[in-house]
Amino acid sequence: MKIKSADVVVTSPGRNFVSLRLETEDGVVGWGDATLNGRELAVVSYLRDHVNPLLIGRDAGPIEDTWQYLYRGAYWRRGPVTMAAVAAVDTALWDIKAKYANMPLYELLGGRSRRGLLSYGHASGGDLPQLFDSIDQHLDEGFRAVRIQTGVPGLGPVYGVAGDPGDQGPDGSAGVAPRPSEELWDTRAYLRHLPAVFEAVRAKYGPELLLLHDGHHRMTPTQAAQLGKRLEPYDLFWLEDCTPAENQEGLRLVRAHTTTPLALGETFNTIWDYKTLISEHLIDYVRSAVTHTGGITAMRKLVDFAAMHQIKAGMHGPTDVSPIGMAAALHLGLAIHNFGIQEFMPHSERTLTVFRTSYRFEDGLLHPGDRPGLGVELDLEAAAAFPYEAAYLPVNRLALDGTVHDW
């Protein structure tokens, strides 16, 4: 079960994806996701130049030992580049192990804890009519939960709202450009506008539809507390990323002033980033992605730690996590007890010509499928048709004076 080869595949079928391909001496292939949106090539170099040479000839079986070897052995720990690379190796090794066992990965993680994973889609629009159309479309597709994002009167494009050049368009495009676009932001205008949006959505769709909202780290703790309080009448499933995640002490103020559930952590990379938030019960959902948090091995430890404090998993699932990373999240989410909800942005048809998936979405629930391993294979010939293209997330500036702001 020794590793014979380790190769990095970079492909851009609408978005840039970095995948790790490990093959054992007897021909079993495992896939890992190493995508880091806007900094993809840094992870490519980390893997090709520093990690892959260490894997050749190594036994693919002892996954925990390999994880510790890569994490502790490098001396320089944590950070998004390192943890994305470690995650790719870890996920590929789990894929290999499950294929050897001839089982879907979730069976090796303890078996399923539910029929499927409740998932939410991204409903958005520049104004209320466009937002309602988007919600209706998601309901027609079977979603029982939707994230609500809208434009703000007086501002231009807002990241997270359909039509923004930084978002993935219907053709899979992702704002390919030599440098980031720049958007304008006004938090006070946003705080005035958003409660009325949720009032209108509740009035139209009633109390049963699960509603979420992403603040994209744009608020101070005081502003986040104000928003959480104003949104309480509309019974949100969660308010996500209400203030910059690294300011963990700021969540004490937010928590003290609102009962709106809080989700946070998609920019975190290790369990250590969550220590204060979890141990002090300052959030309700952990938002990390398997891809960016050291893989299945590390993410399982994080959600087990969260479970001790009645905190649930709401793993990050945008289209800049590849189908390999999405499948890893689904297998883990199906197995753990403290699953909450799964973000689900379906990948473009172009992306799915490269990544052949087995997971399915039915009646609002995702299921990873029952093929051995992750259930995702990458078509190397198809991938070669989509070379890397530089693409960046937007930069936010305050409308008042042009200061760079969290987006």
Side-chain angles (χ1 to χ4, degrees):
M1 212 168 151
K2 289 186 176 180
I3 297 170
K4 177 179 71 174
S5 64
D7 300 296
V8 180
V9 179
V10 182
T11 184
S12 186
R15 306 200 79 138
N16 289 315
F17 299 109
V18 179
S19 304
L20 177 66
R21 183 184 186 274
L22 298 183
E23 184 175 356
T24 65
E25 291 177 338
D26 49 357
V28 176
V29 173
W31 289 100
D33 181 17
T35 306
L36 188 64
N37 195 343
R39 298 294 185 269
E40 297 91 353
L41 299 185
V43 190
V44 172
S45 175
Y46 194 102
L47 284 168
R48 283 180 176 164
D49 299 331
H50 303 290
V51 173
N52 286 4
L54 306 178
L55 300 176
I56 306 304
R58 189 175 182 84
D59 187 350
I63 297 175
E64 175 73 23
D65 183 69
T66 297
W67 194 97
Q68 300 293 346
Y69 177 79
L70 295 176
Y71 179 78
R72 297 180 186 276
Y75 185 75
W76 307 107
R77 302 180 186 180
R78 306 166 67 182
V81 174
T82 294
M83 299 311 289
V86 172
V89 176
D90 183 80
T91 303
L93 292 178
W94 277 108
D95 192 22
I96 288 171
K97 186 175 285 287
K99 287 174 177 173
Y100 268 102
N102 197 32
M103 292 180 177
L105 176 56
Y106 69 82
E107 293 288 4
L108 295 191
L109 299 175
R112 65 178 181 87
S113 292
R114 55 197 49 83
R115 297 191 311 276
L117 288 76
L118 176 68
S119 304
Y120 72 89
H122 291 198
S124 67
D127 55 26
L128 280 178
Q130 292 177 3
L131 174 62
F132 290 161
D133 287 344
S134 181
I135 295 172
D136 290 340
Q137 178 182 343
H138 281 81
L139 295 179
D140 289 343
E141 292 170 355
F143 283 96
R144 306 181 200 174
V146 289
R147 191 186 79 167
I148 302 296
Q149 309 291 134
T150 69
V152 178
L155 298 182
V158 174
Y159 183 80
V161 176
D164 184 289
D167 283 351
Q168 178 172 336
D171 63 346
S173 62
V176 175
R179 63 185 62 220
S181 63
E182 296 194 4
E183 299 179 351
L184 296 180
W185 182 251
D186 183 335
T187 305
R188 294 184 70 222
Y190 161 77
L191 293 175
R192 291 193 301 269
H193 176 64
L194 193 67
V197 171
F198 275 89
E199 181 180 26
V201 171
R202 274 286 175 237
K204 181 174 175 62
Y205 294 96
E208 296 301 322
L209 181 61
L210 302 176
L211 302 179
L212 304 86
H213 178 69
D214 187 351
H216 279 284
H217 309 105
R218 294 168 178 147
M219 291 166 275
T220 65
T222 299
Q223 292 167 335
Q226 292 172 343
L227 181 62
K229 191 70 174 176
R230 293 173 190 173
L231 293 178
E232 285 178 11
Y234 311 114
D235 188 25
L236 267 65
F237 188 94
W238 77 35
L239 172 61
E240 176 187 348
D241 290 344
C242 59
T243 197
E246 56 267 35
N247 182 16
Q248 297 195 24
E249 292 79 5
L251 269 294
R252 295 173 183 150
L253 186 150
V254 181
R255 181 63 108 188
H257 289 87
T258 181
T259 58
T260 295
L262 302 175
L264 193 138
E266 69 181 58
T267 62
F268 287 167
N269 309 121
T270 73
I271 193 171
W272 298 103
D273 298 321
Y274 282 97
K275 186 176 180 182
T276 298
L277 296 176
I278 291 176
S279 62
E280 296 188 20
H281 304 87
L282 299 180
I283 57 174
D284 300 279
Y285 297 90
V286 295
R287 284 282 293 135
S288 287
V290 172
T291 298
H292 303 138
T293 317
I296 294 166
T297 296
M299 194 70 193
R300 180 63 184 260
K301 293 173 182 177
L302 170 59
V303 297
D304 284 347
F305 174 37
M308 294 172 61
H309 299 268
Q310 296 179 291
I311 295 170
K312 295 184 177 182
M315 283 177 267
H316 194 38
T319 48
D320 54 3
V321 167
S322 86
I324 296 169
M326 173 60 76
L330 300 186
H331 283 278
L332 181 57
L334 196 69
I336 61 175
H337 179 260
N338 61 321
F339 171 79
I341 199 167
Q342 175 63 52
E343 180 177 20
F344 180 43
M345 292 183 69
H347 287 94
S348 69
E349 291 184 12
R350 193 188 312 176
T351 297
L352 296 178
T353 64
V354 174
F355 297 89
R356 308 297 170 81
T357 65
S358 65
Y359 54 79
R360 58 186 184 269
F361 178 70
E362 297 173 356
D363 193 28
L365 303 178
L366 277 166
H367 192 285
D370 294 308
R371 292 183 195 166
L374 288 170
V376 178
E377 301 294 333
L378 189 150
D379 185 323
L380 292 173
E381 184 176 348
F386 301 105
Y388 170 82
E389 298 181 78
Y392 296 94
L393 295 169
V395 171
N396 225 18
R397 293 185 180 273
L398 294 180
L400 181 65
D401 63 4
T403 301
V404 173
H405 187 65
D406 297 294
W407 58 267

